[in-house]
Amino acid sequence: MTDTNLVSVKRVVYDDADVHVVNAARISFAKKVDKFRDADKGLLNFLARHNHWTPFAHVRIGARTRSSAVVERVMGGNSYSDRLKSAGFVSVKDGEFYYISGSLYGWLQLVDKYHKKGTAVTNAERRMYTEILGMLYSIAPNSFDAWFGEGGNPVVSYENSHKYSLSYVEDHNLPREIQSLTVHCKMPVPIARQVFKSNHLTIVYNEISRRYVALWPAIKPIYQWRRAATDAKQGSSGALGKVRAWLASRLYNGLCRAALVRYKMLLMLGVAPEQARFVLPQGMEVEFYMTAVVQDFERVVELRSDPTAQGEVQVFAEGLLKALQEHRDYNIFTETVDSIDNVINNN
């Protein structure tokens, strides 16, 4: 018996990489934009200047090459801790090509290290870095300018004509396991903390922050109370009796009302939101962006769908699975449209 209304998971679709970076950052303030504005340049500059990397990591960029040496330069150019920090590079070989997926932050870090070192490189390395620069500038020009300085880094665009060139691949044309997905999640604090324990290589989060916002919090009601399990590993077992469930609701709802009153009073006294939030109950809803490649999200679904997982966490896993299915169906449709367009253009 689980309240399915406690958890929401929705797939995020975006066309503009810079806008997606901005929205991943602005979720901290519970804000969102539909189009990139001049004011957003200042935000990107701030993020890059202070190395606030997670918003840049919600954009994942795929590329392909025939060269295993190129893959090694990309994958080996980051230590393991750096790859975790940058929401990871992953690669897979499919036919004659090696496919690589990495976060925008990871790609920016890769070329930034190259330019800061100023070390001598081979022609093959110079070609690869220049190809990456051109790729990043064409996909996320405002993020690129924020990182390297507007006009401060000339971009030479290669036509990827070399046998071992590295070229951009749209997400739906990547092998499925390294395609990427962003979901917008809402759930109570304890469930979110369970979800945040999912720390596979490519997963990155950005969450609304009550350090900055004092929006009236949504407290999620509990309609179905469960009994404590005799086995601590199970957590709960079956529905609580009607009388005890009624008493539990009275206790919970009374505490939540009292907490909200005190939260409002603290704000009226001029207390900073980052301290006033201390009185808010665990049942408060939080929301966040969560991004990863498909293979890592599938691992999360498998782990969180286990019967021993908390019921609400299983609801999250079900929502994430639906988002993955929507992503797959959308990409199948896109591939079909691309095929039709190719037939029309070739005739």
Side-chain angles (χ1 to χ4, degrees), residues 9 117 146 201 238 297:
V9 182
K117 285 181 179 179
L201 181 61
F297 268 148

Side-chain angles (χ1 to χ4, degrees), residues 10 23 31 56-57 65 101 125 131 134 136 160 171 181 183 189 196 201 263 275 287 291 301 304 333 335 339:
K10 294 184 178 179
N23 285 334
K31 293 182 179 180
F56 296 102
T65 178
S101 174
E125 289 173 326
E131 288 167 352
L136 297 181
N160 305 116
D171 189 76
L181 174 67
V183 289
V189 172
F196 276 36
L201 181 61
Y263 178 66
Q275 290 183 307
E287 58 181 289
T291 297
V301 170
R304 300 306 180 187
F333 172 77
E335 289 171 5
S339 298

Side-chain angles (χ1 to χ4, degrees), residues 102-120:
S103 68
L104 172 59
Y105 177 78
W107 289 109
L108 288 167
Q109 282 286 289
L110 185 66
V111 292
D112 192 38
K113 288 178 181 178
Y114 158 70
H115 280 281
K116 285 181 177 178
K117 285 181 179 179
T119 54

Side-chain angles (χ1 to χ4, degrees), residues 297-308:
F297 268 148
E298 288 176 339
R299 292 190 189 104
V300 173
V301 170
E302 181 180 4
L303 178 65
R304 300 306 180 187
S305 297
D306 190 276
T308 60

